[in-house]
Amino acid sequence: GARLLLPQSSIPWGFVHFVGGAVLGQFPELCYSSLLRPLADKTGLAIICTPYELAPNHNVLADDVGAAFEAALAAGAVR
């Protein structure tokens, strides 16, 4: 599912939805952490990292990404 990165020293004022791409897209938080962690900390934005897998049926993938995003957004609202 999606992961939520919060700024370390502030309350987020907004969010960015980062969808990984191609081969490394299945692990966006791991593969792009050197980009995403500073982005969250410097901008004060929460970042929702949604994995993306390659498959022949785009509609199924898009539905999966949307569901993961909604779950992460709901988890962030609780905080």
Side-chain angles (χ1 to χ4, degrees):
R3 303 279 298 181
L4 178 63
L5 293 174
L6 297 172
Q8 292 181 359
S9 61
S10 64
I11 296 172
W13 60 270
F15 70 90
V16 172
H17 184 205
F18 183 86
V19 179
V23 176
L24 299 177
Q26 294 180 20
F27 311 100
E29 185 182 9
L30 176 67
C31 296
Y32 299 106
S33 64
S34 63
L35 166 72
L36 299 176
R37 172 49 57 199
L39 180 65
D41 292 338
K42 291 180 181 180
T43 63
L45 292 167
I47 300 177
I48 298 172
C49 307
T50 304
Y52 181 83
E53 299 178 21
L54 296 177
N57 190 336
H58 176 76
N59 290 336
V60 170
L61 293 174
D63 290 343
D64 290 347
V65 166
F69 169 75
E70 293 296 332
L73 189 60
V78 171
R79 293 181 170 225

